[in-house]
Amino acid sequence: MAALLFLGFASGLPLLLIGNTLKAWMTVEQVNLAAIGWFSLASLPYSLKFLWSPFLDRFTVPWLGRRRGWLILTQLALIVAIAIMAFQQPKQALQLLAINAIVIAFLSATQDIAADAYRTDVLEKLEMGAGAAVFILGYRIALLVAGALALILADRIPWSSVYLLMAGTMALGIFATLFAPEPAEISPPASLSEAVILPFGEFFQRQGVLQGFLMLVFITLYKLGDALLSNMTTPFLLQVGFTKTDIGTIQVGMGLIATIVGALAGGAILSRIGINRSLWVFGVLQAVSNFAYLALAYTGKNYQAMVLAINIEQFCGGLGTAAFVAFLMSLCNQKFSATQYALLSSLMAVSRDILASPGGAIAQNTGWPLFFIITIVAAVPGLLLLPIFAPWNPKPATMTRPGLEEEEDLWETK
């Protein structure tokens, strides 16, 4: 669990540095609002990481084992790439900034492949809820550092110094990787073709072709409303009139604490009611929580309304993330965990990076109140698919994982 905490931190740190923190930098530099919204496409590698994930299943870096070797390699490269970001100039060279952001996204997505596979491999089935919550805790602490701390520092020191400091904090991930326990040895696929073909074949054979396709659609849509809102909250708050320090301390700081509490509460509740019921309860809550931002859009610059909106939305988002991560892990076969989890989490990232990318243009054309109503409506399609993939009361299926029949028998015996 300690290893997962720090690996979660290393996994979460790059995201805001090419996301909301970078958008805040671009907003201060007076970059066009539509361009800021479309800049989410720089995170496209998170959605496409399943394309190169078979390499991590098939090949092993010649140190630290099958998973940790890839982790240390990508973490070292991320330190260099984030440091280079410190010397970019958003207003004068937007294309160079985009290229740098894409490189960071590619390295970060590759680190995520290894970290997600490590987490899936190392956890026993009864540890999934707690493991998902602890990993999310580390992930959200990283967002606290890369968001709240970065924005507060940006009011006091140049953005270049902020990004250099953020690059240095990646050393925590290296420390975690060096001392993390190695998962039980699993035979990798015999060839690259097997690493590419078998994970997809095994998944669709187990789920059925139609059922498997609909499940991928469900994974893509489940957090769409949440992603559409999150994509534009920082520009919204800046345009309403809040300062960068306000956003750093309240939205990114206090809000991420609310998300952490939500994730830990979600892991605890999940262990009692199961994954399927958690998807129902938390999915509805994360959709309804967007009404808080709609109220803030009508209220205007009001600190009490801001605190309330941010905490409600972030807490409910944390609940939903804990259930969703545990759900994705439960679908993976350990032999192909890098490829299968990468495929599933890439589809989740499609909502955040592609489907949510027109958010700036939508807000610009509709105004903020109607935009927040659209984010609520966007959450409905995913909820409508819940009866197919997460019926309310399928008790034994909620905490099982494919490819572990012998372990299942052992637990039945115990």
Side-chain angles (χ1 to χ4, degrees), residues 53-72:
S53 58
F55 285 90
L56 278 71
D57 266 335
R58 171 64 185 93
F59 299 108
T60 302
V61 176
W63 56 79
L64 294 181
R66 187 183 180 207
R67 303 305 185 195
R68 294 189 299 142
W70 284 108
L71 281 170
I72 199 79

Side-chain angles (χ1 to χ4, degrees), residues 300-316:
K301 187 180 179 181
N302 181 293
Y303 284 96
Q304 290 78 16
M306 178 193 187
V307 170
L308 190 63
I310 288 171
N311 280 279
I312 290 174
E313 193 275 330
Q314 298 275 37
F315 176 79
C316 294

